[in-house]
Amino acid sequence: MALADPAGCARGSEDSSPFPDIIELNVGGQVYITRHPTLVSVPGSLLWQMFTQKNSRSLARDSKGRFFVDRDGFLFRYILDFMRDRQLVLPEHFPERGRLQREAEYFMLPELVKLLEPKLSQQNSLGDDPCQSDPEEPSPGGDTARSLASAA
């Protein structure tokens, strides 16, 4: 099937941008379709730099004319979701947090990088680690929890 537009996208007529309003991306073999305003929603980010250029011809394209980004296509969904509404929503027990943080760094999204940093508790540098080795600062209710555990 041949596409009329080389990028496979509808061109918006309301601005002088060389990019269409609807953009197809191939990120590491995964196809994403999003709006141009989403891709430029974080000023200074890599996607903002790519999609605010005056000449779209300098960007890599795949064989179907989609803009190509040579990164992890599965993790890009979280990058794109973050750019849409500035929230980080991950599945429970998400094992690839470190890899996603690296992707956020690559795409120059410092807000997302910060959200993905390992959390240290304000009250306890060990965070939620149940194996506390410092007996000088017991956690509130810790004695109750220990006595309940030993009673079981």
Side-chain angles (χ1 to χ4, degrees), residues 15-151:
D15 61 58
S16 61
S17 171
F19 296 98
D21 184 51
I22 305 297
I23 294 182
E24 289 187 6
L25 298 169
N26 173 345
V27 183
Q30 296 293 312
V31 175
Y32 291 90
I33 301 173
T34 190
R35 296 190 64 232
H36 181 261
T38 300
L39 295 176
V40 298
S41 66
V42 180
S45 70
L46 180 64
L47 292 168
W48 179 86
Q49 290 175 13
M50 289 171 65
F51 290 97
T52 56
Q53 294 181 34
K54 297 293 181 206
N55 183 0
S56 66
R57 296 185 192 277
S58 64
L59 297 177
R61 302 227 187 190
D62 70 6
S63 62
K64 300 216 190 287
R66 296 177 288 231
F67 294 102
F68 180 76
V69 182
D70 190 17
R71 297 304 291 186
D72 187 310
F74 292 103
L75 291 176
F76 186 73
R77 69 188 293 188
Y78 303 108
I79 299 291
L80 194 56
D81 282 346
F82 176 79
M83 294 186 76
R84 287 180 176 128
D85 51 33
R86 297 293 191 290
Q87 293 182 347
L88 175 62
V89 180
L90 298 175
E92 281 189 50
H93 310 295
F94 183 70
E96 297 188 280
R97 197 175 188 96
R99 291 184 66 219
L100 181 56
Q101 184 177 7
R102 190 173 68 216
E103 292 298 298
E105 289 166 356
Y106 176 83
F107 284 105
M108 297 188 287
L109 297 166
E111 211 178 309
L112 180 56
V113 170
K114 188 174 181 179
L115 289 171
L116 288 163
E117 287 175 352
K119 300 271 190 265
L120 291 179
S121 170
Q122 296 287 339
Q123 301 159 344
N124 182 350
S125 63
L126 297 174
D128 294 330
D129 185 1
C131 302
Q132 294 182 6
S133 60
D134 187 0
E136 295 174 3
E137 293 184 18
S139 62
D143 292 331
T144 306
R146 274 188 220 105
S147 63
L148 288 173
S150 63

